[in-house]
Amino acid sequence: MAQSPRYLQIKQYLNDKIQTRTWPPGFKIPTEIELSEQFAVSRMTANKAIRDLVGDGLLKRTPRLGTFVCHKKAESPLMEIRNIANEVRNRGHDYSSQVISQHSVEAKDDIALRIGVRNGTLIYFTQIVHYENSMPIQLEERWVNPDFAPQYLEQDFTVQTPNEYLVQTCPLSDIEHTVEAIIPIGRIISLLEMNEGEPCLLLNRRTWSDKNLISTALLYHPGNKYKLSSRTKV
């Protein structure tokens, strides 16, 4: 450590504070001037250490306010379907959920088309907010064909997720994903505890079991708290 370049020493010092959560997400770190005085280096050297950590996604500069520790984004694989409760727990965090709606609805227009039923057909609907450490990370709106999951509405989705139940009931054979960035409207902003004008990731998902179209879902994620990833072998 003593023989490494001075900016790397500063970078390691900052990184240690972040990783041990001595400086938690949202913490304002010392200024370049304060770091340069603490380590007896130029301001440029301190600046380079900070810039590296900004590039690594660990720090965020806010003009006129300072540099802050980033909130680490939750991450899900784009080309797979995983139980969000397991994802959260595998990160060592607490998972919880809130069921907003759970009832039968008539399939109308786009939803009827997406789930493959006639307009006006009675289907099942759930709206659930998923939390990581009490922070909302996903709003799930799901429509299910009752022909293939007739007991869907009888489930306690605070105990298991819709994904977990459907995978057990109707083993998945195919999935369809599309992703878009949107500016959410009132109810989404409120349920995800977002600010007006904040971007949101919207994942459109459809799932099949054998040749049967089981469900269609809209999964909303706060853009500043979540990311989707994909890995392809070539």
Side-chain angles (χ1 to χ4, degrees):
M1 182 73 171
Q3 296 178 349
S4 63
R6 296 291 281 167
Y7 90 90
L8 287 180
Q9 294 180 40
I10 300 172
K11 180 179 178 180
Q12 186 62 54
Y13 167 80
L14 299 175
N15 187 60
D16 287 346
K17 293 288 189 182
I18 295 168
Q19 298 303 329
T20 60
R21 296 184 70 85
T22 302
W23 294 348
F27 181 85
K28 183 179 179 180
I29 73 166
T31 65
E32 293 176 6
I33 294 176
E34 291 170 335
L35 288 171
S36 64
E37 292 176 351
Q38 179 180 344
F39 287 89
V41 297
S42 69
R43 183 173 175 178
M44 184 180 298
T45 299
N47 175 270
K48 178 170 175 54
I50 292 173
R51 280 192 290 111
D52 279 8
L53 292 174
V54 169
D56 292 340
L58 296 177
L59 294 176
K60 179 180 179 181
R61 293 183 186 271
T62 302
R64 296 183 297 279
L65 293 179
T67 303
F68 299 84
V69 177
C70 287
H71 291 269
K72 186 175 181 181
K73 293 185 177 183
E75 181 175 358
S76 290
L78 177 58
M79 300 310 294
E80 302 175 40
I81 291 184
R82 294 183 185 173
N83 182 10
I84 190 169
N86 291 341
E87 286 187 12
V88 170
R89 291 173 182 139
N90 287 342
R91 290 193 283 267
H93 296 166
D94 294 327
Y95 168 80
S96 59
S97 65
Q98 179 185 9
V99 177
I100 309 300
S101 299
Q102 186 169 342
H103 54 84
S104 298
V105 296
E106 288 187 0
K108 296 290 182 68
D109 304 326
D110 182 58
I111 295 301
L113 181 63
R114 286 186 55 77
I115 202 169
V117 299
R118 292 178 181 273
N119 220 35
T121 299
L122 205 63
I123 59 174
Y124 296 155
F125 172 73
T126 50
Q127 184 182 54
I128 300 170
V129 181
H130 301 279
Y131 296 86
E132 181 168 353
N133 291 340
S134 300
M135 179 180 70
I137 58 169
Q138 184 188 92
L139 169 62
E140 171 187 342
E141 295 183 337
R142 185 182 296 273
W143 295 263
V144 175
N145 190 326
D147 289 345
F148 309 115
Q151 296 179 318
Y152 181 79
L153 292 185
E154 300 171 22
Q155 308 309 306
D156 183 352
F157 290 125
T158 63
V159 175
Q160 65 177 338
T161 66
N163 167 266
E164 185 177 9
Y165 173 73
L166 289 174
V167 167
Q168 294 171 354
T169 306
C170 311
L172 301 181
S173 59
D174 295 275
I175 61 174
E176 175 187 89
H177 281 149
T178 61
V179 182
E180 57 183 314
I182 66 168
I183 300 298
I185 57 176
R187 63 183 173 80
I188 301 171
I189 293 173
S190 176
L191 291 172
L192 290 178
E193 299 176 13
M194 300 175 64
N195 296 319
E196 291 281 350
E198 279 190 70
C200 183
L201 286 177
L202 172 57
L203 174 61
N204 292 267
R205 173 182 291 166
R206 293 201 294 173
T207 56
W208 285 260
S209 182
D210 292 328
K211 296 182 180 180
N212 301 315
L213 180 51
I214 305 299
S215 75
T216 183
L218 298 176
L219 308 174
Y220 300 88
H221 309 85
N224 65 337
K225 300 175 186 173
Y226 213 86
K227 62 181 178 180
L228 297 166
S229 62
S230 176
R231 181 175 179 178
T232 303
K233 188 172 182 179
V234 295

